[in-house]
Structure formats: structure tokens, C-alpha cells
Amino acid sequence: MASNLLALRKAAGYKSAGDFAEAHGIPISTYARYESNPDKIPMDRAWQLADILGTSIDAIVGREAPAPGTARGEVQLEYDGLTPEACALADEFREFVLAKDEKIRAHRRREEERRYDALCYQYEHQMLAELRTGAAFGEVVNLGSADEARETFLAYLRGQAASKRGELATEAQKAADDKTIEKIMAAYDRTHGEFEFEGMSVMWNTADYGVSVEYGSAFAGKEGDAEA
């Protein structure tokens, strides 16, 4: 079997087998045998040589590794042996399975989104209730622009999470809370937005399949349009 080991050793700057063997604590006669009979190199020694020379075991033992994507497993070999008619049936079934799989994944994504949509709705209404309770009589609670409203809600979520964790919380608990906040904010972004209408900045949000619209201007909507 042809050996790449000699070429790899020289490329690494070792002019002789003795120099290489001595530098890495390998008996010279043993290393010389490796270069002449790479298929006899023990696995642990092959790993060592591969690490030293910055290459793969395949290169050390003189084996040409298969190109990525060319290996054919048992299922692929069975498919290759089918008749054209059977291959067409297999392809049709595969498309059916892939379509079904995508529907299942989409359903699971929607189920997870619904959970965080509900949490977003719950915490947002809780925040607004607290803001209204703290406002003076006759004072209008105004969250400003859509960006300001989002930042207010994010700060509220962080405050809620921190208060429930307590001062003795671990980093793992904080990381878990941060992940939950991230998903709640993703729900917030799905259900809130802002657009320009006749020179007015209009904030919108959806909840329970309904839509409420809030006008960020001194006057409310015209005629039958929704008001804040």
C-alpha cells in the first residue's frame, strides 16, 4: 500500500525518519516500519501521528477517504436495486412523508407560538393595568412610539423575571428566564406593529384574532375608525 506518511513527514520539516521518531519519542525502527507498511499502524499510534502532522488517519495510513456525499448506505443501495416503477412509487411516498412531516412541524411551531402569544398577552395586560393603577386621576397612560412601547414591555418582563428569581438565583435560572423572555418578545413582534396613515403614526396589535388600533396623534381616527 502506498504511504503518504513519508511525504507528510517531509512537508512538516523533518528531513529524516530518525529526526521525526526522536522528536516524538517513537523508536526509529518502529517508525520506519510505519512508513513502509502504513496499514500496520495501530489505531492509537495513527491518531497520534495524525494529530502531530495535522491531518486525518486516512492520510496517515494511505487510504483515500470517500468524497462527502458519495457513500451509499443500505437504504440507498436497496433503492438503487428497485425497478423504475418501484422507484417512482418510492419517490411519491417520500414526497408524501416530507409533506406530512412539514405539516407536523408547522403544527408544533404554532402550538409553541400560541403558548408564548398567551404569555405575551397576559404580561402586557398586567403591565398596562399596573401603569394605569399608578397613574394619577385623569392622566392618560402613553407609551409613546412602537419602539418605546416595546422597550417598556421588555424592561417589564426583565423586572418580573428578576423579582421572581430572587437574589440567590443561579446563572442557569437567569439563562432560562432570558430564553423565555426572548420567545415572549418574538410573540410580541408577531402581534404588534406600526405604520404611517395620512401623516399619522399608527400602532396596532392583535389578540384573540381581534385587532385594536391606536393612533399616535393628537386626534383619534376619523368617523368609524378605531380609537385608543
Side-chain angles (χ1 to χ4, degrees):
M1 178 183 291
S3 173
N4 293 330
L5 190 51
L6 185 149
L8 290 167
R9 183 250 300 165
K10 288 186 175 181
Y14 297 93
K15 294 182 179 180
S16 70
D19 291 341
F20 182 87
E22 183 177 356
H24 298 287
I26 305 172
I28 295 176
S29 60
T30 301
Y31 179 76
R33 186 169 67 252
Y34 293 162
E35 286 198 356
S36 60
N37 296 289
D39 56 328
K40 302 298 183 183
I41 303 176
M43 181 61 71
D44 58 342
R45 186 68 79 180
W47 277 118
Q48 178 191 11
L49 294 171
D51 289 343
I52 292 171
L53 296 169
T55 187
S56 66
I57 289 183
D58 287 321
I60 293 297
V61 301
R63 176 180 178 273
E64 184 177 351
T70 61
R72 307 182 79 77
E74 181 179 350
V75 174
Q76 183 64 54
L77 290 172
E78 289 180 353
Y79 177 87
D80 293 342
L82 296 175
T83 63
E85 294 83 0
C87 283
L89 287 173
D91 291 342
E92 184 178 345
F93 181 69
R94 176 177 177 273
E95 290 176 3
F96 168 77
V97 170
L98 290 175
K100 186 69 173 178
D101 181 69
E102 178 54 35
K103 286 184 179 179
I104 293 171
R105 292 176 186 274
H107 176 73
R108 289 177 178 172
R109 285 195 298 269
R110 286 195 299 272
E111 287 300 309
E112 182 178 16
E113 286 178 355
R114 285 193 185 100
R115 175 173 182 269
Y116 290 101
D117 287 348
L119 284 172
C120 177
Y121 179 86
Q122 171 186 309
Y123 281 116
E124 184 178 19
H125 278 259
Q126 183 176 310
M127 177 190 74
L128 292 173
E130 292 180 12
L131 289 175
R132 292 183 186 115
T133 300
F137 178 73
E139 180 184 357
V140 175
V141 174
N142 185 3
L143 297 178
S145 68
D147 287 340
E148 291 170 333
R150 187 183 190 281
E151 288 303 311
T152 299
F153 184 54
L154 177 58
Y156 180 80
L157 289 178
R158 288 172 175 167
Q160 286 290 302
S163 66
K164 292 181 183 297
R165 281 197 309 270
E167 297 181 356
L168 302 179
T170 65
E171 287 299 319
Q173 289 174 310
K174 183 178 184 303
D177 286 346
D178 288 343
K179 191 66 177 178
T180 300
I181 290 173
E182 180 183 336
K183 292 182 177 181
I184 294 175
M185 292 308 300
Y188 183 93
D189 292 335
R190 283 194 302 272
T191 56
H192 293 70
E194 184 176 29
F195 64 91
E196 292 293 323
F197 177 72
E198 295 185 358
M200 296 180 294
S201 177
V202 182
M203 291 190 291
W204 60 266
N205 71 78
T206 62
D208 295 335
Y209 305 103
V211 179
S212 64
V213 180
E214 180 177 319
Y215 291 88
S217 65
F219 56 92
K222 300 177 180 179
E223 299 178 354
D225 291 346
E227 299 183 16

